[in-house]
Amino acid sequence: MASVFSGAPPQGGPGYSFTQTPRAAPSGERQHGFYPYTDNGGSTLGISGADFTILAGDTRSTSGYNINTRYAPKLFKIGGEGPDNKGAQIVLSVVGFAADGDALKERLDTIVKMYKYQHGKNMTVSACAQRLSHILYNKRFFPYYVHAILGGLDEEGKGALYSYDPVGSYEREQCRAAGAAASLIMPFLDNQVNFKNQYMPGSGTGHNLQARQAQPLPQNDVEELVRDAFTSAVERHIEVGDGLQMMIITRDGIAETFTPLKKD
Amino acid sequence: MVGKDCVAIACDLRLGMQALTVSNNFPKIFSYGDVYLGLTGLATDVSTVSDLFRYKVNMYRLREERNISPQTMANLVSSSLYERRFGPYFVSPVIAGLNQTTGKPFICGFDSIGCIDFAKDFIVSGTASDQLFGTCEGLWEPDLVSA
Amino acid sequence: MNHLPQAWGRPRDDVYGAYDHSHFQTSGPIQHTQSPIVTGTSVVAAKFKDGVVIAADNLASYGSLARFTDVKRLRKFNDQVVVGFGGDVSDMQYLDRLLNSLDIRENYSSSETALNAKNLHTYLAKVMYKRRSDFNPLWNHLLIAGLDGEDKPFLASADLLGTTFTSPTLATGFGAHLAQPILRRTLPDDASVEDVDQETAVKLVKEAMKVLFYRDARSMDRYSIAVITKTGVELHEDEKLENQSWQFAEQIRGYGTQVN
């Protein structure tokens, strides 16, 4: 019996002191039950013209079948002065995981503002576009889960539009749709902006048909196309709706418009 | 697609396995007298189902001594697909035709087990259905005519 | 009797085996929250022309067990901000401590203006986003209610992923399904906020709390409600649901012992 109540720590066991390091640690990889991404739905769209660029996005934010809010902008002015980006000449649109989108916007905005502060001149759209690609690629192995589109005017005053994948591949384009309804909007744009599958009437049959040449569209036509693209997307995609925000970048600055969309 | 006193149905001729194109001459629309049937999906089932309906429509013509109407065809397709409810043909059919008595345009689509979608405007089906939904919804309007 | 005080009140090694000290370990794999443990259910809130109403019940559940029945899930930050917490209660208490230290820092600083609801929302959203980016989330869905820099009503949300949004009405958890449709009937858009007064908004939120109690199995009939206006925060932490009507229960058939 004496050995049972000796009071001394058993041989080989841990001492009574809390500071003593324990012997056995739980081993084996623990499974992660946390997925750090979600999809907030919605769609964005950009079209560049001869002397303007239009970016557009719906304002619905979703989680699954829930509507978080009917007004959550996906378009952001980049650069300019102060928190309202006064005098900005670049617009960024992001669609996908909204929290990453906001984080990306804030990083690019600070960088463009710091550029002006350090160099005393505005960042060009092409420089900003390349910088955005680098920001995205810097998180190659934990990406910003967004499809970004950057719009502005190039050094010659022509409309400039850049589109990105989540890890930073980018390309300058005439038009691009992104997000939930991209697959619905993009072929419509191919047809109406780049005149794909359109032929000159009476130019022959079969392979003799002459393709209709694409040319930069006037601003009003493009605004109408954007509205049509979104009203159509609203009909067929449940994550798109509530409102349409547009930003039109010209040499006079950025004009912003809001058009209501169906809320169902 | 429905137009003014007319219907149109079209398909591409591609046969593929995911990204690999196997053939460039594989029609997916079949004529059954006054009715057209479009079939997308598993190619072997496209052939099987199109032949099955050729048989069924021919038998109908022999018994009834008249062509099958688009509406009747729709119900025939629906019930034939639902017969295979738990081992379906992997096809999503589309029907287009003109009503035999009124001449009114008629189109409809189905899922693979026969649920009918009576649309007033257009039906799309297949691997590019999202893209087709987008273009149709953007470009379609009532009473379109052929160019 | 053991004379070594370290051993007092501790399971005897000779009876229970060696004590597992791994809990006190400082090295080795760090454990992150993979799922919430003790949880609070919905928070609901609605704007009105002069401010915001926010409410949450006083229950903290342990799975399906109604474990703690007097847990206040609304936290007054100052006289223009209230934060409502849904989700894990321990993470809520961590955030509460974080807000306390932030408040103390702010009060000692030379800053002229107090932090408003907009500021606090930005802060909390960044805390949440940082933690999710570290794969160590704070398992909460927060509603931040109060006034912005221009003394206008402000209501916004931040969740465990760092997702943020604002709306005239907001509800977390079950409330997003059950309460939001009711709240949106009165407050469909920003314009309608101007047509709603405090009394209507409070009645509306109380109605939403009642519906949640009817159908949310993790809810209770004691709740906290706060109204934030220019005149300050009016917080009641022990309200009881009133005017309940269980008449609809008689109409329900087919559950439990009553089959037909």
Side-chain angles (χ1 to χ4, degrees):
Chain A
M1 283 305 268
S3 65
V4 175
F5 297 109
S6 70
Q11 286 290 305
Y16 288 131
S17 169
F18 280 74
T19 56
Q20 248 182 317
T21 45
R23 303 153 305 158
S27 58
E29 295 300 308
R30 280 179 54 85
Q31 59 130 21
H32 277 264
F34 175 65
Y35 187 67
Y37 294 114
T38 189
D39 184 2
N40 296 106
S43 254
T44 57
L45 150 57
I47 300 175
S48 67
D51 55 355
F52 66 92
T53 296
I54 292 187
L55 272 94
D58 69 315
T59 62
R60 177 176 289 182
S61 162
T62 63
S63 298
Y65 290 131
N66 283 335
I67 295 173
N68 291 329
T69 173
R70 299 193 192 280
Y71 188 74
K74 286 187 253 295
L75 265 46
F76 305 103
K77 292 178 184 172
I78 296 295
E81 297 287 316
D84 306 324
N85 306 85
K86 244 189 226 0
Q89 280 288 353
I90 298 174
V91 176
L92 172 72
S93 76
V94 278
V95 65
F97 176 34
D100 273 351
D102 289 342
L104 182 65
K105 166 214 72 180
E106 295 212 353
R107 281 188 62 182
L108 190 67
D109 188 39
T110 343
I111 284 163
V112 172
K113 280 172 175 160
M114 286 303 288
Y115 184 100
K116 173 83 185 286
Y117 174 66
Q118 286 170 333
H119 295 86
K121 60 178 183 182
N122 284 316
M123 204 173 189
T124 61
V125 188
S126 60
C128 184
Q130 192 163 68
R131 191 68 177 84
L132 178 56
S133 170
H134 290 151
I135 296 170
L136 289 163
Y137 193 79
N138 259 319
K139 270 171 70 68
R140 170 63 181 78
F141 298 108
F142 184 24
Y144 287 119
Y145 227 73
V146 290
H147 276 105
I149 301 175
L150 192 75
L153 300 176
D154 66 12
E155 281 108 315
E156 295 164 33
K158 294 196 181 97
L161 188 76
Y162 294 86
S163 75
Y164 299 77
D165 81 348
V167 287
S169 287
Y170 80 116
E171 183 183 16
R172 186 171 172 179
E173 291 180 297
Q174 293 298 311
C175 71
R176 169 59 66 187
S183 59
L184 284 78
I185 297 173
M186 203 61 219
F188 175 73
L189 259 34
D190 288 337
N191 180 242
Q192 293 293 306
V193 178
N194 294 323
F195 299 149
K196 290 286 158 66
N197 284 95
Q198 290 200 51
Y199 298 93
M200 300 312 289
S203 61
T205 53
H207 290 294
N208 293 324
L209 277 167
Q210 298 284 266
R212 186 178 166 198
Q213 279 334 102
Q215 59 211 359
L217 297 167
Q219 188 178 317
N220 268 340
D221 292 22
V222 174
E223 281 180 47
E224 280 302 305
L225 274 180
V226 170
R227 264 189 275 273
D228 283 358
F230 271 91
T231 43
S232 298
V234 167
E235 288 296 318
R236 295 289 177 176
H237 204 111
I238 54 168
E239 290 175 359
V240 182
D242 293 332
L244 173 62
Q245 185 193 20
M246 274 204 262
M247 287 197 185
I248 301 138
I249 309 134
T250 59
R251 76 167 74 88
D252 305 323
I254 302 171
E256 192 176 345
T257 66
F258 179 82
T259 322
L261 292 172
K262 282 167 73 171
K263 293 183 199 294
D264 60 359
Chain B
M1 190 178 273
V2 168
K4 189 175 171 56
D5 306 320
C6 63
V7 288
I9 181 168
C11 70
D12 63 343
L13 294 174
R14 182 178 179 273
L15 171 69
M17 292 162 69
Q18 272 74 251
L20 175 70
T21 299
V22 175
S23 162
N24 285 311
N25 191 15
F26 187 83
K28 297 166 194 71
I29 298 172
F30 306 92
S31 166
Y32 299 94
D34 298 343
V35 190
Y36 289 98
L37 175 67
L39 293 167
T40 62
L42 186 70
T44 182
D45 283 351
V46 170
S47 307
T48 311
V49 170
S50 64
D51 287 350
L52 178 73
F53 284 116
R54 189 176 57 187
Y55 162 74
K56 289 195 175 190
V57 169
N58 283 342
M59 290 304 286
Y60 179 95
R61 198 163 19 225
L62 286 169
R63 262 200 300 272
E64 302 274 328
E65 297 181 351
R66 62 189 170 98
N67 278 337
I68 196 167
S69 72
Q71 275 86 355
T72 313
M73 181 70 177
N75 286 290
L76 177 67
V77 170
S78 175
S79 51
S80 302
L81 288 174
Y82 196 76
E83 261 182 20
R84 294 271 176 278
R85 171 63 180 79
F86 297 111
Y89 293 116
F90 297 117
V91 289
S92 21
V94 178
I95 279 178
L98 297 173
N99 184 288
Q100 286 171 329
T101 46
T102 62
K104 254 181 70 180
F106 175 85
I107 55 163
C108 69
F110 309 82
D111 66 6
S112 62
I113 53 168
C115 172
I116 314 185
D117 171 5
F118 295 108
K120 285 195 266 295
D121 40 16
F122 49 81
I123 290 286
V124 299
S125 153
T127 50
S129 61
D130 276 18
Q131 285 82 347
L132 291 171
F133 263 128
T135 27
C136 290
E137 194 64 63
L139 298 173
W140 188 88
E141 53 185 301
D143 297 326
L144 288 168
V145 292
S146 69
Chain C
M1 179 63 197
N2 190 332
H3 66 279
L4 290 169
Q6 297 97 307
W8 294 353
R10 204 184 248 195
R12 275 165 49 188
D13 289 357
D14 52 305
V15 178
Y16 296 99
Y19 188 78
D20 181 5
H21 278 80
S22 60
H23 302 284
F24 303 113
Q25 185 183 354
T26 49
S27 61
I30 302 161
Q31 286 201 20
H32 290 162
T33 311
Q34 302 300 324
S35 59
I37 310 293
V38 178
T39 57
T41 183
S42 320
V43 185
V44 297
K47 282 192 204 175
F48 60 95
K49 64 178 179 200
D50 306 312
V52 191
V53 201
I54 183 168
D57 67 26
N58 294 346
L59 180 67
S61 307
Y62 179 69
S64 56
L65 173 71
R67 182 65 183 82
F68 305 106
T69 53
D70 194 19
V71 174
K72 312 309 200 279
R73 297 193 290 121
L74 297 187
R75 187 199 191 277
K76 178 183 164 179
F77 181 73
N78 56 28
D79 57 8
Q80 48 182 339
V81 197
V82 170
V83 185
F85 296 84
D88 194 280
V89 171
S90 64
D91 286 348
M92 169 183 88
Q93 289 167 347
Y94 167 79
L95 282 166
D96 178 54
R97 266 181 15 234
L98 202 68
L99 291 178
N100 266 328
S101 56
L102 175 70
D103 192 30
I104 292 166
R105 250 195 344 265
E106 275 301 305
N107 281 305
Y108 274 110
S109 81
S110 53
S111 170
E112 288 291 307
T113 49
L115 289 177
N116 58 46
K118 203 174 183 174
N119 300 144
L120 203 71
H121 173 253
T122 311
Y123 174 77
L124 286 168
K126 299 218 160 177
V127 169
M128 300 300 273
Y129 184 73
K130 170 73 168 64
R131 289 290 293 260
R132 89 95 216 189
S133 298
D134 294 343
F135 275 88
N136 186 198
L138 292 165
W139 218 285
N140 298 104
H141 193 153
L142 318 175
L143 296 189
I144 294 93
L147 304 171
D148 66 10
E150 289 154 359
D151 276 353
K152 294 250 177 55
F154 178 90
L155 174 59
S157 131
D159 70 6
L160 72 166
L161 293 168
T163 317
T164 57
F165 42 86
T166 84
S167 178
T169 64
L170 284 174
T172 74
F174 221 88
H177 299 97
L178 278 180
Q180 271 286 46
I182 298 168
L183 300 172
R184 281 180 183 159
R185 255 191 327 234
T186 316
L187 287 153
D189 47 37
D190 278 313
S192 58
V193 174
E194 288 305 312
D195 309 329
V196 176
D197 59 11
Q198 177 170 335
E199 193 194 336
T200 317
V202 170
K203 231 178 97 184
L204 182 66
V205 166
K206 285 186 174 178
E207 185 67 21
M209 290 302 288
K210 198 164 73 184
V211 172
L212 280 169
F213 177 60
Y214 284 153
R215 283 296 177 181
D216 181 358
R218 308 281 175 267
S219 68
M220 73 180 293
D221 54 358
R222 298 272 174 175
Y223 65 99
S224 309
I225 188 164
V227 182
I228 307 102
T229 55
K230 243 187 268 190
T231 54
V233 173
E234 196 185 308
L235 173 64
H236 301 281
E237 290 191 313
D238 197 26
E239 296 287 286
K240 182 146 179 31
L241 278 182
E242 283 166 350
N243 304 115
Q244 286 180 49
S245 167
W246 287 90
Q247 274 181 307
F248 71 88
E250 291 173 32
Q251 313 297 318
I252 297 172
R253 289 289 179 273
Y255 294 102
T257 52
Q258 200 175 37
V259 177
N260 293 304

